[in-house]
Amino acid sequence: MKFTLSWLKTHLETDADLATITKKLTDLGLEVEGVEDKALALKPFVVGYVVEAVQHPNADRLRVCRVETYPEGPQGRTEEVQVVCGAPNAKTGLVGVFAPPGTHVPGTGVDLKPGNIRGVDSNGMLCSERELMLSDNHDGIIELPSDAPLGVRYIDYRGVN
């Protein structure tokens, strides 16, 4: 059987850490075959805001987006990066999930690096659910509510950390 850590903590009525819980379960005769931290792969992804999305000058199906990120959290400094995006729902005002360069995208196996797509620099990625391995949905980038806290790690926003 598989259980989430939050479910175990609720039903065991404990605040113990993962290592303590797995040791106690084993001591009780309940073999723990393994622990998967699915949130580990999603740690670098943050909530970002698309300040502007305009048509790519050299590609009909691409948009050039200015994405506002908060690398030090909402109380820290803001940073604006340019991202070339092929999602049909990329638009000005969208709040989505941003992956900075250096991030491993689990759904594609790609390690992001700054690049140039048809003559336009791109520094990061706006992500779909499939790219984050949340579902098979790849119809567009994840659209979050407009009041989602910018700069917060996506796993913290979704409560899956």
Side-chain angles (χ1 to χ4, degrees):
M1 289 188 158
K2 292 185 179 183
F3 302 98
T4 65
L5 182 59
S6 61
W7 185 89
L8 280 172
K9 284 185 172 191
T10 298
H11 290 350
L12 296 175
E13 297 179 6
T14 183
D15 288 328
D17 66 1
L18 177 62
T20 302
I21 291 173
T22 56
K23 182 176 180 341
K24 289 292 183 187
L25 288 172
T26 302
D27 291 346
L28 291 170
L30 301 170
E31 182 181 350
V32 177
E33 289 183 25
V35 175
E36 279 183 49
D37 185 356
K38 294 194 174 203
L40 183 63
L42 301 181
K43 283 187 178 184
F45 298 85
V46 297
V47 177
Y49 175 72
V50 179
V51 176
E52 179 183 53
V54 297
Q55 184 62 46
H56 189 293
N58 303 316
D60 291 339
R61 294 185 179 168
L62 298 177
R63 312 270 296 156
V64 179
C65 301
R66 286 187 8 237
V67 180
E68 194 172 273
T69 66
Y70 297 76
E72 298 173 9
Q75 298 350 342
R77 66 179 175 83
T78 62
E79 183 177 83
E80 201 173 280
V81 296
Q82 182 170 279
V83 175
V84 175
C85 184
N89 64 331
K91 62 184 181 276
T92 300
L94 181 135
V95 177
V97 180
F98 172 73
T103 301
H104 177 78
V105 181
T108 64
V110 170
D111 294 324
L112 293 179
K113 58 185 177 181
N116 188 288
I117 301 171
R118 294 200 177 187
V120 176
D121 290 338
S122 184
N123 296 293
M125 179 180 192
L126 292 164
C127 302
S128 71
E129 289 182 2
R130 185 173 79 186
E131 290 158 342
L132 299 185
M133 296 184 70
L134 300 174
S135 78
D136 290 332
N137 185 358
H138 193 61
D139 295 335
I141 53 180
I142 296 170
E143 291 190 53
L144 301 175
S146 60
D147 63 348
L150 301 178
V152 170
R153 293 185 316 172
Y154 182 66
I155 58 173
D156 295 330
Y157 170 71
R158 287 287 307 269
V160 294
N161 187 10

